[in-house]
């Protein structure tokens, strides 16, 4: 095993923080059974402690010792894990996912990521690992190790480089508390979930506990304008497809490829911010498939959802 993976495992064992590369975004990881370690995560992010964390696992067996899986939750895990889907289920072992990790809730969010580096680290420890996105609270999520380091490098004992994230947006979150509810858009679409599990509904109560539902989120310093076809002169324009704009352009996808745009989105927001324009203008992204998740993040970056 490469040295950095061993070091990451040792650091997690010791209750220290680690940058964990996943297929979605980089996580700020700590062992979920250690309240002191989990507290460091909230502090490093400046995250409100009422906002619960996702516990990442290296096996379904470990997930089932931490959470209580209904037959339908088990189908979801078997269908979509390892991968970008987070399952909220009743807590079973409250020591394995400490109160702080769950923000005191009687439920726990669990995910088995598919990134080989994340999986190798998670399979190397006997506990679950909290890993919120490694940004400071409210800012765009990091999709490279360098971006993770800029955000929370001071807080980690080990920052593991797993390359640029393939998906680029956080996992889809669904809840099995009181039925089946959809909490956060991601690469795995609502339609895919309904095909596997049957109808899924919105659940505002649970949704209120998602940071995506807090006011401005995923946001750079610069104001963001979305669905822009005629970019103002002094903006940085995040383009999707061809454009004849003559100012600063950062291309989300030249060929209107939605997966590519998602992969580039957070890095593009960061790069645009670094240019310190008066405004970041973003081209319209089709609201279909993974585009729904992109538009969700963009609306929040633009501050439209309170
Ligand atoms: O892709 C991802 O999920 C990334 C990578 C690093 O794995 N992690 C991530 O974590 O996005 P975070 O903390 O930024 O988002 C966790 C989401 C939030 O919307 C939170 O409110 C929700 O999961 N959540 C966690 N526990 C919950 C619970 N018990 N009930 C309802 N929502 C919960
Ligand atoms: Mg986040």
């Amino acid at each position: 095993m490469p040295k950095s993976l061993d070091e990451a495992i040792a650091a997690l064992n010791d209750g220290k923080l680690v940058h964990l590369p996943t297929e979605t975004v980089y996580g700020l990881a700590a062992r979920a059974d250690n309240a002191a370690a989990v507290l460091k995560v909230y502090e490093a992010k400046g995250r409100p402690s009422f906002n619960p964390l996702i516990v990442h696992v290296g096996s379904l067996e470990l997930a089932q010792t931490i959470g209580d899986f209904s037959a339908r939750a088990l189908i979801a895990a078997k269908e979509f894990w390892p991968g970008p889907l987070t399952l909220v289920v009743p807590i079973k072992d409250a020591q394995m996912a400490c109160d702080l990790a769950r923000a005191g809730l009687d439920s726990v969010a669990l995910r088995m990521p598919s990134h080989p580096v994340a999986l190798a680290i998670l399979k190397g420890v006997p506990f679950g690992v909290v890993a919120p996105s490694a940004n400071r609270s409210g800012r765009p999520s990091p999709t490279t190790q360098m971006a993770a380091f800029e955000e929370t490098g001071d807080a980690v004992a080990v920052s593991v480089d797993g390359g640029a994230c393939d998906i680029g947006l956080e996992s889809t979150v669904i809840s099995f508390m009181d039925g089946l509810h959809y909490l956060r858009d991601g690469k795995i679409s609502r339609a895919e979930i309904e095909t596997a599990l049957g109808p899924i509904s919105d659940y505002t109560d649970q949704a209120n506990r998602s940071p995506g539902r807090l006011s401005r989120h995923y946001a750079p310093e610069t104001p963001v304008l979305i669905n822009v076809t005629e970019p103002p002169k002094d903006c940085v324009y995040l383009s999707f497809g061809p454009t004849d704009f003559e100012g600063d352009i950062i291309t989300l996808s030249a060929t209107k490829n939605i997966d590519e745009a998602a992969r580039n989105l957070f890095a593009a927001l960061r790069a645009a911010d670094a240019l310190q324009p008066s405004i970041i203008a973003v081209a319209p992204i089709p609201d279909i498939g993974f585009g729904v998740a992109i538009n969700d993040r963009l609306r929040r970056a633009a501050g439209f959802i309170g």
Side-chain angles (χ1 to χ4, degrees):
M1 194 176 276
K3 187 159 166 277
S4 67
L5 297 196
D6 279 342
E7 283 173 355
I9 289 168
L12 289 171
N13 262 305
D14 290 347
K16 294 177 180 157
L17 307 193
V18 166
H19 280 151
L20 183 75
T22 85
E23 72 278 23
T24 57
V25 300
Y26 273 71
L28 181 65
R31 58 187 299 169
D33 60 353
N34 180 326
V38 174
L39 180 62
K40 287 186 220 161
V41 171
Y42 281 97
E43 285 174 350
K45 282 182 63 72
R47 177 168 172 129
S49 59
F50 57 78
N51 192 354
L53 307 176
I54 297 170
V55 177
H56 296 65
V57 293
S59 73
L60 181 53
E61 291 65 38
L62 179 61
Q64 287 184 276
T65 69
I66 301 173
D68 199 358
F69 280 66
S70 64
R72 207 150 60 137
L74 208 51
I75 291 173
K78 288 184 172 155
E79 175 93 13
F80 296 107
W81 283 3
L85 181 67
T86 295
L87 308 175
V88 176
V89 298
I91 183 71
K92 188 170 173 183
D93 185 334
Q95 244 87 61
M96 292 288 280
C98 68
D99 274 6
L100 193 57
R102 291 178 285 107
L105 298 175
D106 55 3
S107 59
V108 60
L110 290 158
R111 165 163 124 81
M112 191 193 322
S114 62
H115 193 296
V117 173
L119 265 186
I121 291 170
L122 292 168
K123 285 184 187 300
V125 297
F127 43 77
V129 168
V130 296
S133 46
N135 52 286
R136 278 171 283 119
S137 201
R139 303 219 346 110
S141 304
T143 52
T144 62
Q145 189 223 3
M146 202 189 278
F149 206 82
E150 277 169 22
E151 290 285 329
T152 51
D154 290 350
V156 294
V158 180
S159 184
V160 181
D161 190 355
C165 299
D166 188 43
I167 292 176
L169 300 187
E170 303 81 355
S171 61
T172 306
V173 182
I174 62 175
S175 171
F176 293 87
M177 305 299 288
D178 309 316
L180 180 58
H181 303 285
Y182 196 71
L183 301 189
R184 184 171 74 184
D185 284 303
K187 172 70 182 163
I188 296 177
S189 68
R190 199 171 176 132
E192 278 178 88
I193 289 164
E194 293 198 322
T195 301
L197 304 178
I200 185 164
S201 56
D202 293 315
Y203 188 37
T204 30
D205 245 21
Q206 290 281 351
N208 280 335
R209 294 165 178 161
S210 296
R213 311 287 145 173
L214 295 175
S215 46
R216 238 162 97 85
H217 205 80
Y218 311 110
E221 306 292 326
T222 314
V224 176
L225 215 57
I226 58 178
N227 293 319
V228 176
T229 48
E230 303 285 333
K233 236 184 27 231
D234 54 348
C235 78
V236 171
Y237 189 47
L238 272 48
S239 68
F240 185 75
T243 173
D244 50 18
F245 181 57
E246 307 214 317
D248 280 327
I249 297 172
I250 297 176
T251 306
L252 291 175
S253 170
T255 57
K256 297 199 170 189
N257 179 312
I258 289 187
D259 286 341
E260 185 186 17
R263 193 178 300 132
N264 289 333
L265 179 67
F266 285 134
L269 286 173
R270 275 170 198 289
D273 213 19
L275 295 171
Q276 300 189 312
S278 57
I279 214 148
I280 299 172
V282 189
I285 311 286
D287 210 31
I288 45 162
F290 200 16
V292 174
I294 297 180
N295 284 318
D296 168 73
R297 303 309 190 273
L298 281 174
R299 276 194 302 275
R300 296 174 199 289
F304 281 155
I305 294 179

